[in-house]
Amino acid sequence: MIGDRIRYITEKIDRAAVRSGRRLDDITLVAVSKTFPIEKIIDAYNSGLRIFGESRLQEAAGKIEHLKAFPDIKFHMIGHLQTNKIRMLKDYFNLVHSVDSVHLAKKMNDYFYSINRVQDILIQVNLVNEPQKYGIKIEEFDEMMEKMKSFPNLRVRGLMFIPPFYDDPEMNRGNFRRMKVLFDETKKKYKEFKEFDILSMGMSDDFEIAIEEGANMVRIGSAIFGERV
């Protein structure tokens, strides 16, 4: 079942990539495995997936420890981070998607300095200033990017966006397009971030539109694993 879903999604990603002038290999699929059991992660792994997204640190830590026998499996932290739980990040995550404030970034940099490690991160952007969502607001974005220059133990790899919810995903096309513009402008303006190459946006309901508008990383959960209970 999971294998069939992955093949179906992969075909959709491939077609959306072609429509945007790219190839399937240009798009990274993160399987959002938060709340799903280890057995489903293993099923997805056996079907070819290698990158999994988690949002609850304690839950993720247990899964990651259990799955250390799979040497090429990778985990991304996609949920909101509280500063008092930063130490739980340890060396578990290849990429943290959800750095949403200068305060959090400083605390993370201090921690990763203390363990002599550089952590890849994305800046989470609250493009439309939704009060219920995390992310740096557009009017504070440049200030944050300037501050990021002083955090050598964080490697800024790109941007992450969670769009507003609409019954019709097409209504977010403009927001995805705006994020691609912001991504391109940021890459051009802040040349200090030499590996700035990831635009993470698009989930189960809207990943095709996100890819068409420039996403090169999508985060898909329920379309792979089924509905959460």
Side-chain angles (χ1 to χ4, degrees):
M1 180 80 74
I2 283 179
D4 292 338
R5 289 173 177 167
I6 291 169
R7 283 189 289 275
Y8 178 67
I9 288 164
T10 301
E11 289 171 1
K12 285 192 164 189
I13 291 173
D14 190 14
R15 290 194 294 268
V18 169
R19 289 195 295 272
S20 66
R22 292 174 294 165
R23 302 172 302 166
L24 176 63
D25 290 346
D26 296 323
I27 313 299
T28 299
L29 170 57
V30 179
V32 179
S33 50
K34 64 179 183 180
T35 77
F36 290 109
I38 288 169
E39 292 75 19
K40 287 202 171 188
I41 297 176
I42 293 173
D43 283 349
Y45 177 93
N46 288 335
S47 297
L49 298 190
R50 292 295 181 268
I51 304 174
F52 297 87
E54 293 284 333
S55 63
R56 301 172 183 172
L57 281 171
Q58 192 164 354
E59 175 193 344
K63 291 178 179 179
I64 294 167
E65 288 290 345
H66 190 88
L67 293 165
K68 280 189 171 178
F70 299 85
D72 57 346
I73 198 168
K74 297 178 181 179
F75 284 88
H76 290 187
M77 178 62 191
I78 62 173
H80 176 66
L81 280 171
Q82 296 175 310
T83 55
N84 63 348
K85 294 184 178 179
I86 285 172
R87 290 181 178 274
M88 293 182 67
L89 290 170
K90 297 182 180 179
D91 59 351
Y92 287 147
F93 298 98
N94 295 82
L95 183 66
V96 176
H97 288 228
S98 47
V99 179
D100 57 10
S101 71
V102 173
H103 177 67
L104 175 63
K106 183 182 186 307
K107 293 288 188 180
M108 288 179 65
N109 184 74
D110 291 346
Y111 171 67
F112 285 109
Y113 174 80
S114 75
I115 64 171
N116 192 31
R117 179 165 173 251
V118 176
Q119 173 67 55
D120 283 356
I121 67 160
L122 303 179
I123 304 299
Q124 182 175 347
V125 179
N126 190 342
L127 185 71
V128 294
N129 292 347
E130 288 186 276
Q132 73 274 25
K133 278 202 175 81
Y134 295 104
I136 192 73
K137 296 177 180 178
I138 287 297
E139 58 266 29
E140 300 169 353
F141 179 78
D142 277 315
E143 179 183 357
M144 182 169 184
M145 295 306 295
E146 290 292 338
K147 291 283 188 182
M148 295 306 299
K149 297 176 185 179
S150 62
F151 299 146
N153 287 79
L154 300 180
R155 183 184 295 116
V156 181
R157 294 293 308 277
L159 306 179
M160 185 268 255
F161 174 53
I162 301 174
F165 174 77
Y166 296 115
D167 289 331
D168 179 5
E170 188 68 36
M171 292 181 68
N172 269 313
R173 185 178 292 277
N175 288 324
F176 290 137
R177 189 171 296 156
R178 286 173 62 197
M179 278 300 302
K180 179 60 163 61
V181 170
L182 179 66
F183 173 82
D184 290 341
E185 290 177 345
T186 304
K187 185 172 184 176
K188 183 177 180 180
K189 182 175 182 179
Y190 296 97
K191 298 185 185 301
E192 297 88 349
F193 307 123
K194 299 184 185 303
E195 296 177 68
F196 192 93
D197 58 359
I198 297 171
L199 180 55
S200 171
M201 59 183 190
M203 297 182 284
S204 290
D205 292 334
D206 56 19
F207 67 89
E208 292 171 275
I209 297 169
I211 291 169
E212 289 168 3
E213 296 302 332
N216 58 19
M217 181 175 286
V218 292
R219 311 177 303 273
I220 301 177
S222 59
I224 292 172
F225 296 108
E227 294 302 320
R228 292 180 173 84
V229 294

